[in-house]
């Protein structure tokens, strides 16, 4: 992947541009998550939650997630991605999955776009979905590649 790289290891939400309420960090059972001490999860299963990164020239991304019981929930994929130039009109991004079993029914799923965007975006929205199991999915790391200066 070419361009400047921005990495958010999600120890807190200081690198996130904005987010919905009810996103929390789970620090339980790091052995199930390859030693990651914290992962971002939904709090409450009533609706999807999301967080957004902002920067000039977002070209690609690589997201490390952890899921229990597979990547698809009752309403489709447990994680969805959208890009936008203005944070008003969003375009869903199709992703490829690289899945590796970790422990006790959990799997690491690394998600990357299936193709380069037609034009670099200004916003990247990561939406956490799922079903009644609010502990799945969990996001461990976000990498964003830009064609210009890296995200802050």
């Amino acid at each position: 992947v070419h361009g400047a790289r921005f990495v958010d290891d999600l120890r807190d939400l200081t690198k996130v541009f904005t987010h919905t309420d009810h996103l929390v960090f789970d620090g339980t059972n790091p052995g199930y998550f390859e030693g990651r001490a914290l992962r971002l999860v939904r709090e409450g299963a009533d609706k999807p939650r999301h967080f957004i990164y902002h920067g000039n020239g977002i070209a690609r991304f690589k997201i490390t997630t952890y899921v229990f019981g597979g990547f698809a929930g009752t309403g489709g994929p447990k994680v969805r991605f959208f890009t936008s130039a203005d944070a008003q009109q969003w375009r869903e991004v199709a992703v490829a999955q690289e899945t590796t079993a970790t422990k006790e029914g959990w799997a690491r799923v690394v998600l990357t776009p299936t193709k380069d965007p037609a034009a670099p975006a200004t916003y990247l929205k990561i939406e956490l979905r799922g079903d009644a199991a609010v502990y799945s999915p969990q996001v461990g790391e976000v990498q964003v590649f830009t064609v210009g200066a890296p995200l802050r």
Side-chain angles (χ1 to χ4, degrees), residues 64-83:
T64 301
T65 66
Y66 296 89
V67 298
F68 185 82
F71 185 69
T74 55
K78 291 183 180 178
V79 184
R80 294 173 63 197
F81 301 92
F82 302 86
T83 56

PDB file of all heavy atoms in Angstrom, residues 64-83:
ATOM      1  N   THR A  64      -7.944  -4.186  11.609  1.00  0.00           N
ATOM      2  CA  THR A  64      -7.851  -5.472  12.291  1.00  0.00           C
ATOM      3  C   THR A  64      -9.006  -5.580  13.263  1.00  0.00           C
ATOM      4  O   THR A  64      -9.134  -4.771  14.184  1.00  0.00           O
ATOM      5  CB  THR A  64      -6.514  -5.607  13.042  1.00  0.00           C
ATOM      6  OG1 THR A  64      -5.445  -5.470  12.092  1.00  0.00           O
ATOM      7  CG2 THR A  64      -6.409  -6.953  13.737  1.00  0.00           C
ATOM      8  N   THR A  65      -9.872  -6.571  13.014  1.00  0.00           N
ATOM      9  CA  THR A  65     -11.035  -6.795  13.865  1.00  0.00           C
ATOM     10  C   THR A  65     -10.975  -8.205  14.431  1.00  0.00           C
ATOM     11  O   THR A  65     -10.220  -9.057  13.942  1.00  0.00           O
ATOM     12  CB  THR A  65     -12.352  -6.639  13.076  1.00  0.00           C
ATOM     13  OG1 THR A  65     -12.448  -7.685  12.101  1.00  0.00           O
ATOM     14  CG2 THR A  65     -12.434  -5.293  12.396  1.00  0.00           C
ATOM     15  N   TYR A  66     -11.788  -8.423  15.437  1.00  0.00           N
ATOM     16  CA  TYR A  66     -11.950  -9.762  16.020  1.00  0.00           C
ATOM     17  C   TYR A  66     -13.438 -10.050  16.092  1.00  0.00           C
ATOM     18  O   TYR A  66     -14.219  -9.195  16.503  1.00  0.00           O
ATOM     19  CB  TYR A  66     -11.317  -9.826  17.411  1.00  0.00           C
ATOM     20  CG  TYR A  66      -9.826  -9.621  17.347  1.00  0.00           C
ATOM     21  CD1 TYR A  66      -9.285  -8.344  17.431  1.00  0.00           C
ATOM     22  CD2 TYR A  66      -8.964 -10.690  17.158  1.00  0.00           C
ATOM     23  CE1 TYR A  66      -7.920  -8.143  17.334  1.00  0.00           C
ATOM     24  CE2 TYR A  66      -7.586 -10.500  17.070  1.00  0.00           C
ATOM     25  CZ  TYR A  66      -7.081  -9.226  17.157  1.00  0.00           C
ATOM     26  OH  TYR A  66      -5.718  -9.031  17.054  1.00  0.00           O
ATOM     27  N   VAL A  67     -13.820 -11.246  15.658  1.00  0.00           N
ATOM     28  CA  VAL A  67     -15.226 -11.621  15.655  1.00  0.00           C
ATOM     29  C   VAL A  67     -15.398 -12.985  16.303  1.00  0.00           C
ATOM     30  O   VAL A  67     -14.505 -13.821  16.274  1.00  0.00           O
ATOM     31  CB  VAL A  67     -15.826 -11.631  14.226  1.00  0.00           C
ATOM     32  CG1 VAL A  67     -15.759 -10.245  13.606  1.00  0.00           C
ATOM     33  CG2 VAL A  67     -15.148 -12.655  13.352  1.00  0.00           C
ATOM     34  N   PHE A  68     -16.564 -13.173  16.864  1.00  0.00           N
ATOM     35  CA  PHE A  68     -16.942 -14.458  17.440  1.00  0.00           C
ATOM     36  C   PHE A  68     -18.070 -15.036  16.607  1.00  0.00           C
ATOM     37  O   PHE A  68     -19.053 -14.347  16.336  1.00  0.00           O
ATOM     38  CB  PHE A  68     -17.397 -14.285  18.896  1.00  0.00           C
ATOM     39  CG  PHE A  68     -17.676 -15.573  19.590  1.00  0.00           C
ATOM     40  CD1 PHE A  68     -16.643 -16.312  20.141  1.00  0.00           C
ATOM     41  CD2 PHE A  68     -18.968 -16.068  19.672  1.00  0.00           C
ATOM     42  CE1 PHE A  68     -16.896 -17.522  20.775  1.00  0.00           C
ATOM     43  CE2 PHE A  68     -19.234 -17.271  20.299  1.00  0.00           C
ATOM     44  CZ  PHE A  68     -18.188 -18.000  20.854  1.00  0.00           C
ATOM     45  N   GLY A  69     -17.916 -16.270  16.182  1.00  0.00           N
ATOM     46  CA  GLY A  69     -18.987 -16.924  15.431  1.00  0.00           C
ATOM     47  C   GLY A  69     -19.112 -16.487  13.989  1.00  0.00           C
ATOM     48  O   GLY A  69     -20.187 -16.613  13.403  1.00  0.00           O
ATOM     49  N   GLY A  70     -18.068 -15.953  13.397  1.00  0.00           N
ATOM     50  CA  GLY A  70     -18.093 -15.575  11.988  1.00  0.00           C
ATOM     51  C   GLY A  70     -18.277 -14.088  11.770  1.00  0.00           C
ATOM     52  O   GLY A  70     -18.691 -13.353  12.656  1.00  0.00           O
ATOM     53  N   PHE A  71     -17.956 -13.656  10.559  1.00  0.00           N
ATOM     54  CA  PHE A  71     -17.979 -12.234  10.219  1.00  0.00           C
ATOM     55  C   PHE A  71     -19.386 -11.722   9.937  1.00  0.00           C
ATOM     56  O   PHE A  71     -19.676 -10.556  10.119  1.00  0.00           O
ATOM     57  CB  PHE A  71     -17.070 -11.971   9.011  1.00  0.00           C
ATOM     58  CG  PHE A  71     -16.934 -10.518   8.673  1.00  0.00           C
ATOM     59  CD1 PHE A  71     -16.256  -9.654   9.515  1.00  0.00           C
ATOM     60  CD2 PHE A  71     -17.502 -10.008   7.523  1.00  0.00           C
ATOM     61  CE1 PHE A  71     -16.135  -8.301   9.211  1.00  0.00           C
ATOM     62  CE2 PHE A  71     -17.391  -8.666   7.212  1.00  0.00           C
ATOM     63  CZ  PHE A  71     -16.704  -7.811   8.060  1.00  0.00           C
ATOM     64  N   ALA A  72     -20.282 -12.588   9.502  1.00  0.00           N
ATOM     65  CA  ALA A  72     -21.640 -12.148   9.185  1.00  0.00           C
ATOM     66  C   ALA A  72     -22.540 -12.297  10.405  1.00  0.00           C
ATOM     67  O   ALA A  72     -22.539 -13.331  11.063  1.00  0.00           O
ATOM     68  CB  ALA A  72     -22.199 -12.964   8.025  1.00  0.00           C
ATOM     69  N   GLY A  73     -23.263 -11.228  10.707  1.00  0.00           N
ATOM     70  CA  GLY A  73     -24.263 -11.273  11.774  1.00  0.00           C
ATOM     71  C   GLY A  73     -25.638 -11.509  11.168  1.00  0.00           C
ATOM     72  O   GLY A  73     -25.773 -11.797   9.972  1.00  0.00           O
ATOM     73  N   THR A  74     -26.670 -11.348  11.959  1.00  0.00           N
ATOM     74  CA  THR A  74     -28.028 -11.560  11.458  1.00  0.00           C
ATOM     75  C   THR A  74     -28.434 -10.498  10.438  1.00  0.00           C
ATOM     76  O   THR A  74     -29.291 -10.739   9.606  1.00  0.00           O
ATOM     77  CB  THR A  74     -29.039 -11.567  12.620  1.00  0.00           C
ATOM     78  OG1 THR A  74     -28.889 -10.352  13.364  1.00  0.00           O
ATOM     79  CG2 THR A  74     -28.833 -12.754  13.529  1.00  0.00           C
ATOM     80  N   GLY A  75     -27.786  -9.335  10.472  1.00  0.00           N
ATOM     81  CA  GLY A  75     -28.118  -8.252   9.537  1.00  0.00           C
ATOM     82  C   GLY A  75     -27.044  -7.996   8.504  1.00  0.00           C
ATOM     83  O   GLY A  75     -26.962  -6.914   7.952  1.00  0.00           O
ATOM     84  N   GLY A  76     -26.192  -8.978   8.242  1.00  0.00           N
ATOM     85  CA  GLY A  76     -25.117  -8.800   7.262  1.00  0.00           C
ATOM     86  C   GLY A  76     -23.761  -8.716   7.956  1.00  0.00           C
ATOM     87  O   GLY A  76     -23.605  -9.174   9.088  1.00  0.00           O
ATOM     88  N   PRO A  77     -22.773  -8.111   7.287  1.00  0.00           N
ATOM     89  CA  PRO A  77     -21.431  -8.041   7.865  1.00  0.00           C
ATOM     90  C   PRO A  77     -21.422  -7.326   9.218  1.00  0.00           C
ATOM     91  O   PRO A  77     -22.168  -6.374   9.425  1.00  0.00           O
ATOM     92  CB  PRO A  77     -20.624  -7.233   6.839  1.00  0.00           C
ATOM     93  CG  PRO A  77     -21.437  -7.235   5.603  1.00  0.00           C
ATOM     94  CD  PRO A  77     -22.862  -7.447   5.997  1.00  0.00           C
ATOM     95  N   LYS A  78     -20.571  -7.779  10.117  1.00  0.00           N
ATOM     96  CA  LYS A  78     -20.493  -7.173  11.444  1.00  0.00           C
ATOM     97  C   LYS A  78     -19.752  -5.842  11.433  1.00  0.00           C
ATOM     98  O   LYS A  78     -19.858  -5.056  12.365  1.00  0.00           O
ATOM     99  CB  LYS A  78     -19.826  -8.128  12.427  1.00  0.00           C
ATOM    100  CG  LYS A  78     -20.696  -9.344  12.738  1.00  0.00           C
ATOM    101  CD  LYS A  78     -20.050 -10.246  13.757  1.00  0.00           C
ATOM    102  CE  LYS A  78     -20.938 -11.442  14.059  1.00  0.00           C
ATOM    103  NZ  LYS A  78     -20.303 -12.357  15.020  1.00  0.00           N
ATOM    104  N   VAL A  79     -18.977  -5.584  10.372  1.00  0.00           N
ATOM    105  CA  VAL A  79     -18.281  -4.302  10.212  1.00  0.00           C
ATOM    106  C   VAL A  79     -18.508  -3.843   8.779  1.00  0.00           C
ATOM    107  O   VAL A  79     -18.350  -4.617   7.842  1.00  0.00           O
ATOM    108  CB  VAL A  79     -16.763  -4.426  10.488  1.00  0.00           C
ATOM    109  CG1 VAL A  79     -16.093  -3.062  10.400  1.00  0.00           C
ATOM    110  CG2 VAL A  79     -16.494  -5.067  11.832  1.00  0.00           C
ATOM    111  N   ARG A  80     -18.903  -2.573   8.618  1.00  0.00           N
ATOM    112  CA  ARG A  80     -19.087  -1.989   7.293  1.00  0.00           C
ATOM    113  C   ARG A  80     -18.278  -0.705   7.225  1.00  0.00           C
ATOM    114  O   ARG A  80     -18.032  -0.054   8.245  1.00  0.00           O
ATOM    115  CB  ARG A  80     -20.563  -1.701   7.035  1.00  0.00           C
ATOM    116  CG  ARG A  80     -21.390  -2.977   6.950  1.00  0.00           C
ATOM    117  CD  ARG A  80     -22.867  -2.709   6.865  1.00  0.00           C
ATOM    118  NE  ARG A  80     -23.207  -1.967   5.647  1.00  0.00           N
ATOM    119  CZ  ARG A  80     -24.371  -1.327   5.484  1.00  0.00           C
ATOM    120  NH1 ARG A  80     -25.280  -1.326   6.437  1.00  0.00           N
ATOM    121  NH2 ARG A  80     -24.615  -0.694   4.365  1.00  0.00           N
ATOM    122  N   PHE A  81     -17.901  -0.334   5.992  1.00  0.00           N
ATOM    123  CA  PHE A  81     -17.054   0.838   5.779  1.00  0.00           C
ATOM    124  C   PHE A  81     -17.687   1.751   4.748  1.00  0.00           C
ATOM    125  O   PHE A  81     -18.265   1.285   3.764  1.00  0.00           O
ATOM    126  CB  PHE A  81     -15.674   0.400   5.274  1.00  0.00           C
ATOM    127  CG  PHE A  81     -14.991  -0.523   6.235  1.00  0.00           C
ATOM    128  CD1 PHE A  81     -15.127  -1.890   6.119  1.00  0.00           C
ATOM    129  CD2 PHE A  81     -14.237  -0.023   7.272  1.00  0.00           C
ATOM    130  CE1 PHE A  81     -14.521  -2.753   7.012  1.00  0.00           C
ATOM    131  CE2 PHE A  81     -13.627  -0.874   8.180  1.00  0.00           C
ATOM    132  CZ  PHE A  81     -13.774  -2.241   8.050  1.00  0.00           C
ATOM    133  N   PHE A  82     -17.522   3.054   4.982  1.00  0.00           N
ATOM    134  CA  PHE A  82     -18.059   4.058   4.084  1.00  0.00           C
ATOM    135  C   PHE A  82     -17.033   5.172   3.941  1.00  0.00           C
ATOM    136  O   PHE A  82     -16.321   5.495   4.897  1.00  0.00           O
ATOM    137  CB  PHE A  82     -19.356   4.655   4.652  1.00  0.00           C
ATOM    138  CG  PHE A  82     -20.418   3.640   4.912  1.00  0.00           C
ATOM    139  CD1 PHE A  82     -20.465   2.948   6.119  1.00  0.00           C
ATOM    140  CD2 PHE A  82     -21.375   3.351   3.955  1.00  0.00           C
ATOM    141  CE1 PHE A  82     -21.445   2.000   6.371  1.00  0.00           C
ATOM    142  CE2 PHE A  82     -22.368   2.403   4.197  1.00  0.00           C
ATOM    143  CZ  PHE A  82     -22.397   1.726   5.403  1.00  0.00           C
ATOM    144  N   THR A  83     -16.970   5.781   2.750  1.00  0.00           N
ATOM    145  CA  THR A  83     -16.124   6.959   2.547  1.00  0.00           C
ATOM    146  C   THR A  83     -16.999   8.104   2.060  1.00  0.00           C
ATOM    147  O   THR A  83     -18.093   7.900   1.524  1.00  0.00           O
ATOM    148  CB  THR A  83     -15.009   6.691   1.521  1.00  0.00           C
ATOM    149  OG1 THR A  83     -15.591   6.253   0.292  1.00  0.00           O
ATOM    150  CG2 THR A  83     -14.021   5.657   2.041  1.00  0.00           C
TER     151      THR A  83
END
